[in-house]
Amino acid sequence: MARSMMRAVVQDALGGPEVLRVAEVPRPEPLPTEVLVRVHAAGVNPVDWKTRQGGGMAGVLGEPPFTLGWDVSGVVEEVGFGVTTLAPGDEVYGMPWFPRQAGGYAEYVTAPARQFARKPATLSHEEAAAVPLAALTAWQILVDTAHVTAGQRVLVHAAAGGVGHFAVQFARHLGARVVGTARESRHAWLGRLGAAELVDYTEQRFEDAVEDVDVVIDLLGEDHDATSTRSLKVLRKGGLLVAVPGGVAPEVRQAADARGIRTSAYLVEPDGAALTTIAGLIDKGEVAVEVEEVFPLEEAARAHRQGEDGHTRGKLVLRVGA
């Protein structure tokens, strides 16, 4: 393959996993302040398959063709003019360009150097690629949006998922008492990660088991069994509901206002500085990364099918290059 070309997963139409295919496409070149990263692994996130179908960030990306993927881990190949923070050969990870197209399901990506951070030294590229989008979502909600402090009670819905298992650990790191919803088979693992209370949502309604919560991180959304509305019942006055999928519905905001509860929508942003902090926590052994399965790049469609089936423990990852 010519040096100017690379392999990437592309889709020419919106639809099911079958629209994903591997093709040869032009390799990007770094502009000033950007780096070219040779991708070793790419994370797979719910926003990927939602976008593939026409939801998620499809409105931002526009009509196909496009290449999905925002989580990457790899090695700096080239640096553009003015870059001083990274050099060729540096192992990095990041969530470049979100919500604009990053094209992470590919052998190379380019993005501003400061949207990357040095990869956690204790992680493989496959493990590191599982971190950025999910971990930044959890970190920015807890630290920048909710300003969680020691002694508060934090409820994490879908605690065993990609964002959820990071939220449990970061909330514990901040000194909060963590409550999580997950199937009973995940309880022992989540307890080791730092969850103090766990509710098996298949056996009981969480609002019947939880009360006096300061912050709810709703990773399911109002469309999933009215999770946002039901979460208002467990929040204390002055508490905060952060609704990630779909944001805060008008009727939920109105009900929250009537109860004296705050609400906030949220969308993750690239944040190299936060990724540096997160890498430090990982390398100190304070935060663990869970990867359920790694797929070759050519099996991106199978990874999407598995993700869409639900109940993934942690993250799914694509292996792109050696």
Side-chain angles (χ1 to χ4, degrees), residues 264-276:
S264 176
Y266 172 80
L267 188 63
V268 67
E269 301 176 54
D271 192 341
L275 285 175
T276 297

Side-chain angles (χ1 to χ4, degrees), residues 31-35 37 83 85-86 96-97 110-117:
L31 297 173
T33 76
E34 293 185 348
V35 294
V37 174
V83 174
T85 56
L86 295 171
W97 292 122
T110 55
R114 293 178 188 271
Q115 292 188 3
F116 294 97

Side-chain angles (χ1 to χ4, degrees), residues 25-116:
V25 300
R27 197 185 88 168
E29 297 294 332
L31 297 173
T33 76
E34 293 185 348
V35 294
L36 172 71
V37 174
R38 178 162 48 89
V39 179
H40 285 233
V44 178
N45 294 286
V47 69
D48 299 0
W49 55 78
K50 291 176 183 178
T51 301
R52 187 206 73 228
Q53 296 168 333
M57 296 300 120
V60 177
L61 271 56
E63 291 297 316
F66 51 68
T67 293
L68 294 169
W70 286 276
D71 276 342
V72 297
S73 182
V75 177
V76 175
E77 186 93 351
E78 298 178 21
V79 299
F81 176 80
V83 174
T84 60
T85 56
L86 295 171
D90 286 343
E91 293 189 319
V92 296
Y93 76 141
M95 187 199 69
W97 292 122
F98 190 85
R100 294 164 57 189
Q101 178 174 265
Y105 293 5
E107 292 181 317
Y108 292 90
V109 297
T110 55
R114 293 178 188 271
Q115 292 188 3
F116 294 97

